[in-house]
Amino acid sequence: PSILMMIITSIYSIVDGFFVSNFVGKNSFAALNLIFPVIMALAAVGFMIGTGGSALIAKTLGEGKPREANEIFSMLVIVLAAGGAILSGVCIVFLRPISFAVGATDLTIDDCVLYGRVLLAALPFFMLQNSFQSFLATAEKPHFGLRVTVFAGLTNVALDFLLVYVFPFGLLGAALATAFSQLVGALIPLVYFLRPNDSPLRLTRPRFDLRAIGKACCNGSSEMVSNLSTSLVGVLYNVQLMALARENGVNAYGVLMYVSFIFMAFFFGYSIAVTPVVGYHYGAQNHAELKSLLKKSLTVTLITSLAMTASSILLASSIAHLFVGYDAELCGMTVNALRIYALSF
């Protein structure tokens, strides 16, 4: 369930990209691809606190301290919501210069600002949604988390179809569809944890503990750096591609990133699922089980990555035609790029 949650979350941007590319135009598609790495870089804070916090909470539960675990959980949710609001406000104010810095031109700047501001307004909910995916796994409710994510994903698809294809809201419609789906994905778990439930976790009166926040950030820093590095590489590629191949280059790279989002989602989802298990056994001092988990995880990772490489090569043409089949030159560029990029998996 955690793997599917991450894959469906990754599909948000892909659904936007499909509708914008095919029904709005490739310049708006380029604008979306230019600004989206910035949004994902900011959302990495949610992955950090969610993954790192879930490890800390699971360890605390494993030590037999459920009250302390719930106090830490409640504190982290508040920190995420407040931090997301602050990040959102600052970036909305400076979004135009940020857009130029990541490669926007006079042709794409207005679309970058339009799409970016709508998604930034929903950033606190996106960060909460990302963290709740980890917390629900820790609360032993991964199937409930999957249902929430599927519902949010279907909301995004339905609203994209309605606001981009049926009603001509264009790029604004795609942004509103994503923002509203993130709102849904955050509020349903929030209500669940606020009410009495049969899981080990519930939102209670928090106990603010800077040391616990530090531990959560330290534990989740690898996930945050992974997301940040992906976003930073995306920004650097986009800047260089705008100089070399203009909007076509950015769009081809955007399709590469969509494939990468899906495949990376498997590994992020697996990490989310296994983290509370590792944390619990660490707290309970079950070292033999920890070694077994490590060996099995490495085996799963190796087999899956080889399958991903093969499927990327075989399906390159079909994927390219799905997004940019309307432009032969762009489609050919994308197919070639996908087959080379496949080796990275």
Side-chain angles (χ1 to χ4, degrees):
S2 296
I3 292 169
L4 289 175
M5 280 197 298
M6 289 304 302
I7 290 174
I8 293 167
T9 301
S10 300
I11 287 173
Y12 286 169
S13 60
I14 297 172
V15 171
D16 279 7
F18 171 78
F19 278 99
V20 169
S21 180
N22 286 284
F23 302 112
V24 182
K26 66 179 184 179
N27 288 336
S28 294
F29 184 42
L32 183 155
N33 289 322
L34 285 168
I35 202 62
F36 196 76
V38 176
I39 307 298
M40 289 304 294
L42 296 171
V45 176
F47 283 111
M48 175 182 70
I49 294 180
T51 308
S54 67
L56 178 61
I57 293 165
K59 176 177 176 291
T60 308
L61 289 171
E63 292 169 343
K65 303 173 183 175
R67 180 177 177 181
E68 184 179 335
N70 279 301
E71 289 174 345
I72 293 171
F73 168 57
S74 303
M75 173 193 65
L76 292 177
V77 170
I78 292 172
V79 167
L80 266 171
I86 293 169
L87 279 174
S88 173
V90 171
C91 291
I92 285 174
V93 172
F94 295 103
L95 187 57
R96 185 168 287 269
I98 290 172
S99 299
F100 278 123
V102 299
T105 62
D106 291 338
L107 195 63
T108 56
I109 184 63
D110 289 339
D111 281 344
C112 281
V113 172
L114 173 66
Y115 187 82
R117 282 182 174 162
V118 174
L119 262 62
L120 282 170
L123 181 65
F125 299 106
F126 190 32
M127 289 170 60
L128 282 171
Q129 181 186 17
N130 289 337
S131 66
F132 279 138
Q133 290 171 348
S134 298
F135 293 142
L136 283 166
T138 306
E140 303 169 11
K141 294 293 180 182
H143 291 88
F144 174 66
L146 175 59
R147 289 195 295 271
V148 171
T149 307
V150 168
F151 182 66
L154 290 175
T155 300
N156 188 35
V157 173
L159 289 177
D160 263 322
F161 177 78
L162 191 65
L163 299 178
V164 179
Y165 181 73
V166 177
F167 299 108
F169 285 99
L171 189 64
L172 174 62
L176 289 172
T178 295
F180 190 77
S181 65
Q182 290 166 354
L183 179 69
V184 169
L187 289 184
I188 294 176
L190 186 64
V191 171
Y192 174 80
F193 284 121
L194 281 169
R195 296 167 59 86
N197 61 73
D198 60 352
S199 80
L201 295 183
R202 186 183 172 191
L203 288 167
T204 60
R205 184 184 297 276
R207 178 170 58 88
F208 283 92
D209 184 346
L210 290 177
R211 188 178 177 187
I213 294 173
K215 284 183 178 179
C217 292
C218 184
N219 285 338
S221 60
S222 58
E223 281 76 13
M224 185 187 72
V225 170
S226 295
N227 279 274
L228 281 176
S229 64
T230 301
S231 298
L232 178 60
V233 167
V235 168
L236 294 174
Y237 267 99
N238 283 337
V239 170
Q240 190 69 4
L241 286 167
M242 284 299 290
L244 293 171
R246 307 303 295 173
E247 284 75 20
N248 272 5
V250 171
N251 288 336
Y253 184 66
V255 177
L256 291 186
M257 288 301 95
Y258 292 159
V259 176
S260 185
F261 288 160
I262 294 291
F263 286 169
M264 285 193 300
F266 174 90
F267 300 110
F268 281 123
Y270 185 82
S271 297
I272 287 171
V274 81
T275 292
V277 181
V278 171
Y280 185 90
H281 286 297
Y282 181 74
Q285 300 296 304
N286 296 330
H287 296 295
E289 186 63 27
L290 290 173
K291 291 178 181 178
S292 175
L293 278 168
L294 176 60
K295 182 179 178 180
K296 291 171 183 173
S297 296
L298 291 174
T299 302
V300 168
T301 299
L302 175 63
I303 293 171
T304 306
S305 62
L306 291 173
M308 288 176 177
T309 300
S311 61
S312 295
I313 294 171
L314 293 172
L315 298 174
S317 180
S318 299
I319 294 168
H321 277 87
L322 179 66
F323 287 95
V324 293
Y326 53 81
D327 187 316
E329 180 186 0
L330 175 55
C331 191
M333 181 189 296
T334 305
V335 171
N336 187 48
L338 274 168
R339 287 175 175 158
I340 295 170
Y341 190 84
L343 299 174
S344 69
F345 295 120

